[in-house]
Amino acid sequence: KAGSPPLKVNSKNVAIEIMTGAPLPEGFDTVIPYERIKIVNGKATLDQNLKIDKKQNIHFEGSDYCEGKVLLEAGLKLNSAAVAIIASQGVQSASVYKFPKFAIVSTGDELVEPGNPCEQWQIWKSNAFAIESELMAFGVPRSNIKLFHLEDSRETVFENLKNILREYEGIIISGGVSMGKYDFVQAVMSDLGVEQIFYKISQKPGKPMFFGRGNENQSIFALPGNPVSALVCMRRYVIPSLESSLNNPAKDLLVELGAEISFKKEFSFFKAVKIKSNESGKLVATPISSNGSGDFSSLGGSDGFIELPAKNPVHRAGDVFKFYPWKGDAL
């Protein structure tokens, strides 16, 4: 049986019953499936016309990989198959990349916690939860994420971000980064010694986005407050940055445009789409209509978005573009 040392036999004129996974006895070189043989009174009879090849049904030592072969490359995202391979080599534990600690910071006096009464001049907070969900979907444990909310006061923003920068390696801010009178994030970042890498991107939605580095090499992403802009920038920039920091950059996922899209301004355009396979097995992206960057509901039926480059004002059905799925879903 499997798990037992190999048997030893002195005669070459006998066969031995052997279970799947058991070691082959010394001197034996062929295995016949149990269902192709009959055993009566200790005598084995083969099925008529059974073709037998020497060494059949034997898994030889070293036949999968040679000694020294790398089974898992560094940076690979562990899945069930990878975990099985690690355990199969007798390895009890493996070194992995540590997920950074993330602070998700929402800003704005108009934001109300879901479940609380909301006046007509207020809105329920949603960006922070969408950002948290996206991080968790890409593997960041909930214990590595903490949510903060800051009122529109420069002193409040300064004091809180100063403390947050001491404790967190990744800071994702929603709102307070545009040109409004109460948008203090960019000025406070400068006061705190954060190095601005870039501010504003030629894209729609999500133009007023900030990225900087803290004194302890923290990554600071300040996303626009509009819900669609915030989630698009989250998926387009923060998630790839996270994957690169874990030495696991995502592979490009390409889809075919299902309907013509045109725009006149010189910027990259991110368009929410629904994905399905056509008769040829290609992934086709059907654009979803939207009422602007504040229309979060339009994303509810989408699978993600495509990135349309600025160089062409018209993008025709059948053109191929890069696709960013929500929540790390692999299509």
Side-chain angles (χ1 to χ4, degrees), residues 234-306:
M234 174 68 191
R235 179 63 185 89
R236 176 61 182 84
Y237 301 107
V238 183
I239 294 301
S241 175
L242 169 64
E243 292 174 321
S244 293
S245 74
L246 300 172
N247 196 26
N248 184 39
K251 298 180 178 65
D252 287 349
L253 185 57
L254 302 178
V255 297
E256 189 176 283
L257 185 59
E260 183 177 299
I261 297 177
S262 61
F263 53 90
K264 298 179 181 179
K265 294 183 179 180
E266 294 183 357
F267 48 61
S268 296
F269 186 41
F270 300 129
K271 185 63 177 174
V273 294
K274 186 73 177 176
I275 300 294
K276 66 177 181 179
S277 298
N278 63 14
E279 295 80 3
S280 301
K282 295 181 179 179
L283 296 177
V284 179
T286 301
I288 292 178
S289 60
S290 168
N291 194 32
S293 58
D295 182 12
F296 213 13
S297 299
S298 64
L299 299 183
S302 67
D303 295 310
F305 59 89
I306 56 174

Side-chain angles (χ1 to χ4, degrees), residues 4-235:
S4 299
L7 297 174
K8 294 183 179 180
V9 179
N10 296 324
S11 172
K12 294 184 178 181
N13 298 320
V14 297
I16 292 179
E17 291 182 277
I18 187 170
M19 303 299 111
T20 301
L24 197 69
E26 184 179 346
F28 288 73
D29 59 16
T30 304
V31 174
I32 299 169
Y34 202 75
E35 59 271 17
R36 303 303 304 273
I37 197 170
K38 293 181 180 179
I39 301 176
V40 179
N41 296 326
K43 183 177 181 180
T45 304
L46 304 181
D47 285 354
Q48 289 185 352
N49 303 320
L50 175 62
K51 185 177 183 299
I52 301 176
D53 296 316
K54 190 175 182 179
K55 299 183 180 182
Q56 70 177 22
N57 301 314
I58 298 174
H59 197 131
F60 286 94
E61 183 179 9
S63 61
D64 291 333
Y65 297 99
C66 296
E67 184 178 359
K69 172 71 176 180
V70 175
L71 299 182
L72 297 173
E73 296 287 347
L76 177 74
K77 188 173 183 179
L78 292 181
N79 54 24
S80 54
V83 170
I85 290 171
I86 293 172
S88 74
Q89 301 307 300
V91 178
Q92 188 176 23
S93 62
S95 298
V96 296
Y97 285 89
K98 179 184 176 183
F99 278 108
K101 290 175 61 180
F102 280 98
I104 301 174
V105 183
S106 56
T107 66
D109 294 351
E110 75 279 12
L111 299 180
V112 177
E113 197 74 21
N116 293 340
C118 186
E119 302 291 349
Q120 289 184 347
W121 55 87
Q122 297 174 316
I123 57 175
W124 281 294
K125 181 169 62 177
S126 62
N127 286 1
F129 305 116
I131 292 169
E132 179 187 39
S133 175
E134 198 74 3
L135 282 177
M136 291 174 60
F138 278 87
V140 181
R142 186 186 291 274
S143 59
N144 280 41
I145 306 171
K146 187 170 182 180
L147 274 58
F148 299 85
H149 180 73
L150 308 182
E151 296 179 352
D152 288 325
S153 159
R154 182 162 181 158
E155 294 75 16
T156 298
V157 174
F158 179 88
E159 290 299 327
N160 281 272
L161 288 182
K162 180 174 68 173
N163 294 330
I164 289 170
L165 281 167
R166 291 174 182 158
E167 297 185 35
Y168 293 88
E169 301 143 291
I171 296 96
I172 306 170
I173 305 170
S174 169
V177 73
S178 296
M179 303 301 293
K181 189 174 182 179
Y182 297 95
D183 291 333
F184 301 118
V185 168
Q186 191 179 10
V188 167
M189 287 295 170
S190 178
D191 294 342
L192 292 171
V194 172
E195 178 190 4
Q196 176 178 306
I197 307 300
F198 65 80
Y199 174 58
K200 293 186 177 180
I201 310 172
S202 297
Q203 67 179 41
K204 182 178 181 181
K207 178 180 178 181
M209 175 182 159
F210 171 96
F211 174 70
R213 290 284 186 189
N215 294 325
E216 302 298 326
N217 204 35
Q218 308 96 322
S219 296
I220 300 101
F221 296 87
L223 314 180
N226 279 325
V228 176
S229 300
L231 192 55
V232 165
C233 287
M234 174 68 191
R235 179 63 185 89

